[in-house]
């Protein structure tokens, strides 16, 4: 059985966004309570997030933006960043730095071979965050920073980022739009927030054809996701041959999610995970880093993450799935 790390810290609850905000601490509390009560939680290695390194932010964000976020958080107990839906408190900057650190911590554990698969249960999420702009509840782009760390400090040359959050990962796309070292693949509801992610967005310059957007109409169920994986994402991985798979794991394509109109059931996230694992098994020596993004129905999120983790703790990806 592959060793699966589960990275978490209670500090992630200290990013207060207010009672009515969909991205709130109850998401993580619900997820943790549910996962701790399951049988397979014994098969997870619980790892405390312990990397706090502000210099990591500079891998993907401008100095001016980092200062803006830090100063805004420190100066006010409750503020909105940039476009108005990213609420922060006086602790949010520290928490966001820890969330970035947790992604890099998970990355190192996977790349070193210490763990085959790692899931990072952190908040705030990151995939909408641009180098100089907060968006969509995201302060800093956890996944983009982890990928840049892998390229610049760990010697990796080809990384696939698979983003199946229901919203397009515009921030991550932006970070690697001209970079052929990162194949960014996103499956998302379209047209939808944040407005980007049409199939004609394929990258520019040397990065042309290293971005793959698979927009799905509202109401998409597992059949559409399976089709997207088998006919587009998996063949793209075969051509690209990534050394590492990073999943931007959003669970807001769940049918109960209040912020989307997709139709995935709990168990569909296990199948989506197995399909993703088939890429890692074939090309990446099994190495997978999965980082929590969205998911706003507390029970739906908890059960969907449990399905994701169940699949991560399984031994072998069935051949039928891997085809
Ligand atoms: Zn989302």
């Amino acid at each position: 059985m592959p060793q699966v790390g589960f990275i978490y810290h209670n500090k992630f609850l200290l990013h207060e966004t207010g009672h009515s905000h969909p991205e709130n601490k109850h998401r993580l509390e619900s997820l943790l309570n549910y996962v701790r009560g399951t049988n397979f939680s014994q098969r997870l290695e619980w790892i405390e997030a312990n990397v706090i390194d502000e210099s990591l932010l500079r891998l993907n964000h401008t100095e001016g933006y980092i200062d803006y976020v830090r100063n805004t958080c420190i100066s006010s107990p409750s503020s909105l960043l940039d476009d108005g839906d990213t609420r922060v408190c006086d602790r949010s900057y520290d928490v966001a730095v820890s969330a970035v650190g947790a992604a890099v911590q998970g990355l190192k554990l996977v790349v070193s071979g210490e763990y085959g698969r790692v899931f990072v249960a952190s908040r705030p999420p990151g995939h909408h965050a641009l180098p100089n702009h907060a968006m969509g509840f995201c302060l800093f782009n956890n996944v983009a920073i982890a990928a840049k760390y892998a390229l610049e400090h760990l010697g990796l040359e080809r990384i696939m980022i698979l983003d199946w959050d229901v919203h397009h990962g515009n921030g991550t796309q932006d970070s690697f739009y001209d970079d052929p070292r990162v194949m960014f693949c996103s499956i998302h509801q379209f047209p939808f927030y944040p407005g980007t992610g049409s199939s004609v967005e394929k990258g520019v310059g040397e990065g042309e054809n290293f971005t793959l957007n698979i927009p799905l109409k509202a109401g998409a169920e597992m059949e559409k996701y399976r089709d997207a994986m088998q006919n587009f994402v998996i063949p793209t991985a075969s051509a690209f041959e990534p050394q590492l798979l990073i999943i931007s794991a959003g669970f807001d394509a769940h049918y109960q999610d209040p912020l989307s109109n997709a139709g995935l059931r709990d168990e569909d996230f296990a199948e989506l995970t197995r399909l993703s694992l088939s890429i890692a098994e074939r090309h990446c020596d099994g190495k997978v880093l999965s980082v929590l993004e969205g998911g706003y129905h507390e029970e739906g999120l908890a059960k969907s993450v449990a399905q994701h983790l169940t699949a991560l703790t399984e031994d072998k990806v069935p051949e039928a799935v891997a085809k």
Side-chain angles (χ1 to χ4, degrees), residues 127-128 165-167 252 294-296:
H127 73 150
H128 295 305
D165 186 283
V166 79
H167 304 99
D252 41 11
Y296 304 99

Side-chain angles (χ1 to χ4, degrees), residues 258-274:
L259 297 194
S260 81
N261 313 102
L264 295 188
R265 321 290 300 190
D266 305 340
E267 60 274 18
D268 291 334
F269 286 97
E271 183 178 352
L272 196 49
T273 304
R274 291 184 191 107

Side-chain angles (χ1 to χ4, degrees), residues 168-178 184 196-197 201 211 213:
H168 180 236
N170 63 300
T172 312
Q173 171 170 298
D174 188 83
S175 290
F176 302 107
Y177 209 49
D178 60 356
F184 175 69
T196 50
E201 294 169 27
T211 291
N213 281 306

Side-chain angles (χ1 to χ4, degrees), residues 18 21 31 52 77-78 98 115 154 169 178 197 199 202 257 269-270 274 276 287 293 297 309 319:
H21 199 285
L31 181 169
I52 300 168
S78 177
S98 288
Y115 288 82
L154 302 182
D178 60 356
S199 57
K202 294 181 175 180
D257 198 280
F269 286 97
R274 291 184 191 107
S276 307
K287 295 177 193 299
E293 299 283 0
H297 184 277
L309 293 169
E319 275 302 310

Side-chain angles (χ1 to χ4, degrees), residues 179-193:
D179 192 338
R181 299 172 299 173
V182 173
M183 173 61 75
F184 175 69
C185 300
S186 180
I187 308 173
H188 47 268
Q189 186 175 325
F190 186 87
F192 202 40
Y193 182 88

Side-chain angles (χ1 to χ4, degrees), residues 87-166:
R87 185 167 288 283
V88 293
C89 70
D90 53 355
R91 298 297 305 276
S92 294
Y93 176 79
D94 292 339
V95 179
V97 168
S98 288
V100 166
V104 173
Q105 185 180 352
L107 170 83
K108 287 182 179 174
L109 290 172
V110 168
V111 172
S112 70
E114 211 168 323
Y115 288 82
R117 304 164 182 174
V118 167
F119 179 70
V120 182
S122 61
R123 56 183 289 275
H127 73 150
H128 295 305
L130 293 159
N132 60 355
H133 205 276
M135 273 184 77
F137 321 153
C138 301
L139 281 64
F140 302 117
N141 197 317
N142 307 314
V143 158
I145 290 171
K148 291 200 173 182
Y149 190 95
L151 294 169
E152 293 186 21
H153 298 292
L154 302 182
L156 271 69
E157 295 171 342
R158 294 180 313 284
I159 298 168
M160 175 177 262
I161 298 177
L162 174 57
D163 185 328
W164 31 257
D165 186 283
V166 79

